Amino acid sequence: MWAAGGRAALALGLALAAGAAALALGLGRALAARRRARREVLFFPSPPRCTEALLAQAEAPGAAPRPCPCPLPHGESSLGRLLRHLLSARRSLDLCLFAFSSPQLGRAVRLLHRRGVRVRVLTDAQYMALRGSQIGPLRLAGIPVRHDQESGYMHHKFAVVDGRLLITGSLNWTTQAIQNNRENVLVTDDAEYVTAFLDEFERIWEEYNPANYAFFPQGHNGSSTSTAKGRVRRATAKPESVQGG
Amino acid sequence: MWAAGGRAALALGLALAAGAAALALGLGRALAARRRARREVLFFPSPPRCTEALLAQAEAPGAAPRPCPCPLPHGESSLGRLLRHLLSARRSLDLCLFAFSSPQLGRAVRLLHRRGVRVRVLTDAQYMALRGSQIGPLRLAGIPVRHDQESGYMHHKFAVVDGRLLITGSLNWTTQAIQNNRENVLVTDDAEYVTAFLDEFERIWEEYNPANYAFFPQGHNGSSTSTAKGRVRRATAKPESVQGG
């Protein structure tokens, strides 16, 4: 009796232990996965560093690395980290940027577009027209750009890489900001944050659809106030307003 | 033999099961704690909403709530959420803000200062002098403010509440930005992010220590280029530069 009971109890105990151990293992893995969630902060100003090697390698992945003869110091920098995160894109890059004039960042984005990554850009109508803006070269390269038609600024400064990595902060993508300002950029693949910003991107992308533009203010030249899509006259728009959108 | 062996095996099996169960419980709790980590995103523009009730209640927590007679709609808004997070401060509030002119946010910060919360403000020298800036009223109230002496902008827009909650994003604390711009603010108590931003705050707070100000550019009026602290002449500074710490 005891022997049979003992064996049954042992079997039950071992089964319980195995079950609990499996549960602990599963939870441990889930916890480790959460710990692995990327959390990175880049602070600026970023001291000038040569980014030529990084960009050249991305442009010609198979080529032998050439030492860059420029006098700038080499090595890591916040700009270098930002470039690496962008260049990790394989499928999509969604940019929502108030001001974009950094030549290095512009070069990286055009490179991704040539590589077949689906790039979309949302930006501010006033700032995109400033001298040195990268928005023109991006549109020339065939990248779709949409902008606001509002009195307020499109003041976001974020990017989403492959729908999985959020890059956001105070940094406008300008050389002035990168080299001289106190700035921060958070990098995270936390799904809650990524989803919230992707939703915001899609919302604004639709709102800035050029098909919705109203080129006359409501009630302009005595007409009714119904400035519906049907009344939009594209030909009156500034050239920038209808390109690439 | 079998009976004794069976009992020992049962005891061992049960002990293993109990140990594994305890481990699973502990891991489960750790995972739940990670899940509870606050992750919130506020998007702007925030439609105008009356924040009087929120601020009045914070100013006189015991008083009976009075219905506000103003014509603004009541209810939740991104500005209301931001105010609530700030007003949750019990010990400290560290602000690092490029532009700060929102009357409601200024009122909340002065309220916390009166309540005994240790408030410190880092800001940009150029923007703090603009019309409508809240920096003057904050200093008048006795809140220590430090600013840059640099050519670049102090362009951060973050706050840390009680050393535990980080509030950061694209939003400058101005009515224009709150009501008209496309903006984002992340709220998180993730320790890695909070620590990184607190370290940045302390670093800048020390760098902007007025004792380190150099009021003459290097080599000014033919003197040597050693503009060490000993040579600083405070009396020549603009009044703003030496007020409030």
Side-chain angles (χ1 to χ4, degrees):
Chain A
M1 275 292 285
W2 268 112
R7 277 194 296 274
L10 174 63
L12 177 66
L14 287 178
L16 279 174
L23 181 63
L25 193 67
L27 287 170
R29 278 197 189 128
L31 192 61
R34 280 199 174 261
R35 277 207 191 108
R36 277 199 302 273
R38 189 187 291 276
R39 276 180 208 80
E40 186 176 346
V41 190
L42 308 174
F43 288 110
F44 295 81
S46 186
R49 291 280 178 274
C50 176
T51 53
E52 183 55 36
L54 189 59
L55 287 161
Q57 196 197 1
E59 280 165 343
R66 286 168 305 176
C68 178
C70 83
L72 281 178
H74 295 68
E76 271 299 340
S77 67
S78 291
L79 174 60
R81 293 289 305 156
L82 178 55
L83 280 166
R84 274 181 212 279
H85 285 304
L86 294 173
L87 292 171
S88 75
R90 291 295 171 266
R91 296 188 315 278
S92 66
L93 178 65
D94 293 321
L95 299 178
C96 195
L97 295 169
F98 175 54
F100 187 177
S101 61
S102 158
Q104 291 100 323
L105 290 166
R107 183 172 157 195
V109 172
R110 290 194 303 278
L111 185 165
L112 290 170
H113 170 68
R114 284 199 305 276
R115 201 199 267 170
V117 170
R118 184 196 64 163
V119 180
R120 295 185 293 175
V121 179
L122 284 169
T123 193
D124 184 78
Q126 274 185 268
Y127 270 70
M128 74 179 187
L130 294 191
R131 220 171 105 111
S133 170
Q134 287 289 319
I135 298 299
L138 294 184
R139 280 183 155 162
L140 268 178
I143 295 171
V145 176
R146 295 186 179 182
H147 60 77
D148 65 301
Q149 242 210 350
E150 302 163 329
S151 59
Y153 288 121
M154 205 312 292
H155 200 244
H156 286 305
K157 307 111 175 28
F158 72 83
V160 182
V161 176
D162 288 341
R164 62 161 176 85
L165 190 70
L166 170 67
I167 298 170
T168 187
S170 67
L171 183 82
N172 290 309
W173 287 18
T174 70
T175 301
Q176 149 73 20
I178 291 165
Q179 292 187 0
N180 298 303
N181 290 0
R182 306 280 178 154
E183 306 274 6
N184 64 78
V185 171
L186 273 83
V187 183
T188 179
D189 58 5
D190 183 293
E192 281 182 50
Y193 282 137
V194 173
T195 304
F197 278 82
L198 269 181
D199 289 351
E200 173 77 351
F201 187 94
E202 296 296 348
R203 204 160 36 232
I204 301 180
W205 185 255
E206 272 320 302
E207 280 185 53
Y208 291 0
N209 185 336
N212 299 335
Y213 285 174
F215 290 112
F216 292 101
Q218 293 206 336
H220 179 77
N221 68 19
S223 68
S224 82
T225 56
S226 63
T227 50
K229 276 196 278 180
R231 290 185 54 250
V232 166
R233 294 202 340 225
R234 295 251 168 83
T236 61
K238 287 176 289 179
E240 301 95 320
S241 302
V242 289
Q243 273 179 22
Chain B
M1 277 290 286
W2 269 113
R7 276 194 295 275
L10 174 63
L12 178 66
L14 287 177
L16 279 174
L23 180 63
L25 193 68
L27 287 170
R29 279 196 188 130
L31 191 61
R34 281 201 173 259
R35 276 205 192 112
R36 277 197 303 273
R38 187 188 292 279
R39 277 182 208 79
E40 186 177 346
V41 190
L42 309 174
F43 288 111
F44 295 82
S46 185
R49 291 280 178 274
C50 177
T51 52
E52 184 55 36
L54 188 60
L55 287 162
Q57 197 197 1
E59 279 165 342
R66 287 167 305 176
C68 178
C70 83
L72 281 179
H74 295 69
E76 270 301 338
S77 67
S78 291
L79 174 60
R81 293 290 305 156
L82 178 55
L83 280 167
R84 275 180 212 280
H85 284 304
L86 293 174
L87 292 171
S88 75
R90 291 294 171 267
R91 296 188 315 279
S92 66
L93 178 65
D94 294 320
L95 299 177
C96 194
L97 296 169
F98 175 54
F100 186 178
S101 61
S102 158
Q104 291 100 322
L105 289 166
R107 184 172 156 195
V109 173
R110 289 195 302 279
L111 184 167
L112 291 170
H113 170 68
R114 284 200 304 278
R115 202 200 264 171
V117 170
R118 185 196 65 162
V119 180
R120 295 185 292 175
V121 179
L122 284 169
T123 193
D124 183 78
Q126 274 183 269
Y127 270 69
M128 73 179 187
L130 293 190
R131 223 170 103 110
S133 170
Q134 286 288 320
I135 299 298
L138 294 184
R139 281 182 153 162
L140 267 178
I143 295 170
V145 177
R146 294 185 179 181
H147 59 78
D148 65 299
Q149 241 210 351
E150 301 163 332
S151 60
Y153 288 121
M154 204 313 293
H155 199 245
H156 286 305
K157 309 111 173 26
F158 72 84
V160 182
V161 176
D162 289 340
R164 64 166 172 80
L165 190 71
L166 171 67
I167 298 169
T168 188
S170 67
L171 183 82
N172 290 309
W173 287 18
T174 71
T175 301
Q176 149 73 20
I178 292 165
Q179 292 187 1
N180 299 304
N181 290 1
R182 307 279 177 156
E183 307 273 5
N184 65 77
V185 171
L186 274 83
V187 183
T188 179
D189 57 6
D190 183 292
E192 282 183 48
Y193 282 137
V194 173
T195 304
F197 278 81
L198 268 182
D199 288 351
E200 174 76 352
F201 187 94
E202 296 295 348
R203 207 163 29 235
I204 302 181
W205 185 255
E206 272 321 301
E207 279 186 55
Y208 290 1
N209 186 333
N212 300 335
Y213 285 174
F215 290 111
F216 292 102
Q218 292 205 339
H220 178 78
N221 70 17
S223 68
S224 84
T225 55
S226 62
T227 50
K229 275 196 276 180
R231 288 185 56 251
V232 168
R233 292 198 343 221
R234 296 249 167 85
T236 61
K238 286 175 290 178
E240 302 95 319
S241 301
V242 289
Q243 274 178 23

